[in-house]
Amino acid sequence: MTPSHSLLLFLSCTLFVHQCQGACAEVDSDTEAVAGRGFKLGCISCKRRSEVKAAATVEWYFQADGEVDFVQIYTYEDGAPTESEHFKGRLDWNGTKRSRDIQDASIYLLNVTFNDSGTYHCFFNRILSFDNYEYTTTISKLVRLTVVAKATRGTASIASEVMMYVSIIGLQVWLLIEMIYCYRKISAAGEEALREAANAEYLAIASESKDNCAGVQVGE
Ligand SMILES: *[C@@H]1O[C@H](CO)[C@@H](O)[C@H](O)[C@H]1NC(C)=O
Ligand SMILES: *[C@@H]1O[C@H](CO)[C@@H](O)[C@H](O)[C@H]1NC(C)=O
Ligand SMILES: *[C@@H]1O[C@H](CO)[C@@H](O)[C@H](O)[C@H]1NC(C)=O
């Protein structure tokens, strides 16, 4: 490979990080699903060292609200999913595709019901392949899912929206008051100026005529 080729490869790698090494970010799953809609149960575990070869299998467990036991609901191994009876065809793979090096193990739950509320556990069984040995790790993540009839919004977001409107309206009103105040001040100042100008003119005329008068007087 010539230097210019490696430069090109480097540039395209920095531009298209996804293709080259699969940039991974551990984003927490959403925790509120709407009944009747679909919901993505997120579960991401990034490798610390992206250059190390790895293969992972994934297991999902579910504990319904009020239940004690976890039941296995989904397994993903060698690109093939295995579903248990519990969700009867309502689960789809939303994680890493076309690779055994799974870092995203998210699954998609179709037609959410209120009975789907509970705790979901996802497990990565990952084998890291180093030059001379293999290393096995297990990583687990937890998703506490609440099912609601309609999407609710946090009170904080509602409060901040109200505050936004209050401050916008407040600003407008303040601006209006300021404008009226300024207009009045300007027009008052204008009148004052006019009056002053008239006065000055009057005084000038008056003093002129006085001079005239004085002149007349002196002349006499
Ligand atoms: C989800 O609900 C829709 C509409 O109610 C239905 O047509 C579909 O078969 C359901 N899918 C599953 C997997 O239950
Ligand atoms: C997840 O799976 C659902 C159902 O198969 C699909 O509609 C959705 O587009 C998928 N999302 C992603 C990000 O793969
Ligand atoms: C939810 O669970 C209860 C009790 O197990 C069951 O009677 C009911 O049919 C379930 N509802 C749905 C929508 O699956």
Side-chain angles (χ1 to χ4, degrees):
M1 209 192 290
T2 65
S4 70
H5 272 125
S6 16
L7 183 67
L8 212 69
L9 188 70
F10 172 74
L11 281 178
S12 55
C13 273
T14 40
L15 285 174
F16 308 102
V17 186
H18 286 275
Q19 271 101 17
C20 284
Q21 56 168 356
C24 179
E26 296 196 1
V27 184
D28 282 339
S29 177
D30 281 341
T31 55
E32 194 176 273
V34 179
R37 303 235 188 105
F39 182 78
K40 181 176 171 176
L41 284 156
C43 175
I44 299 172
S45 159
C46 299
K47 278 189 304 186
R48 289 281 158 73
R49 294 169 60 184
S50 56
E51 76 281 4
V52 175
K53 274 197 176 165
T57 61
V58 170
E59 284 164 21
W60 276 91
Y61 292 82
F62 171 59
Q63 178 193 41
D65 275 345
E67 298 280 321
V68 182
D69 297 328
F70 272 95
V71 289
Q72 190 165 355
I73 54 167
Y74 197 87
T75 315
Y76 195 83
E77 199 167 350
D78 291 330
T82 315
E83 280 177 72
S84 80
E85 266 300 291
H86 197 96
F87 285 93
K88 295 183 200 82
R90 288 202 293 132
L91 292 174
D92 268 336
W93 181 248
N94 258 182
T96 307
K97 289 169 187 116
R98 289 179 293 277
S99 169
R100 294 187 65 208
D101 183 5
I102 298 164
Q103 296 184 66
D104 183 348
S106 305
I107 52 175
Y108 194 82
L109 181 55
L110 294 153
N111 297 358
V112 171
T113 74
F114 288 102
N115 286 2
D116 299 337
S117 297
T119 308
Y120 293 78
H121 237 292
C122 96
F123 285 94
F124 286 88
N125 298 303
R126 177 173 287 149
I127 300 168
L128 295 159
S129 303
F130 295 94
D131 283 342
N132 301 318
Y133 66 103
E134 288 187 336
Y135 182 75
T136 308
T137 62
T138 301
I139 302 118
S140 81
K141 307 253 164 182
L142 207 88
V143 182
R144 276 278 308 127
L145 184 68
T146 316
V147 178
V148 297
K150 252 192 298 171
T152 61
R153 287 170 54 201
T155 36
S157 100
I158 293 171
S160 68
E161 192 173 323
V162 168
M163 278 308 293
M164 188 185 78
Y165 284 122
V166 165
S167 59
I168 286 174
I169 292 167
L171 264 171
Q172 299 265 353
V173 168
W174 185 74
L175 215 69
L176 199 69
I177 291 169
E178 191 83 331
M179 266 171 65
I180 291 169
Y181 175 77
C182 282
Y183 176 76
R184 283 201 167 161
K185 207 172 169 185
I186 287 166
S187 62
E191 271 168 29
E192 190 74 12
L194 273 177
R195 210 175 299 134
E196 245 166 49
N199 274 349
E201 210 167 333
Y202 173 77
L203 284 176
I205 292 165
S207 68
E208 213 173 294
S209 51
K210 213 180 183 182
D211 281 349
N212 286 349
C213 291
V216 172
Q217 269 169 359
V218 168
E220 250 181 355

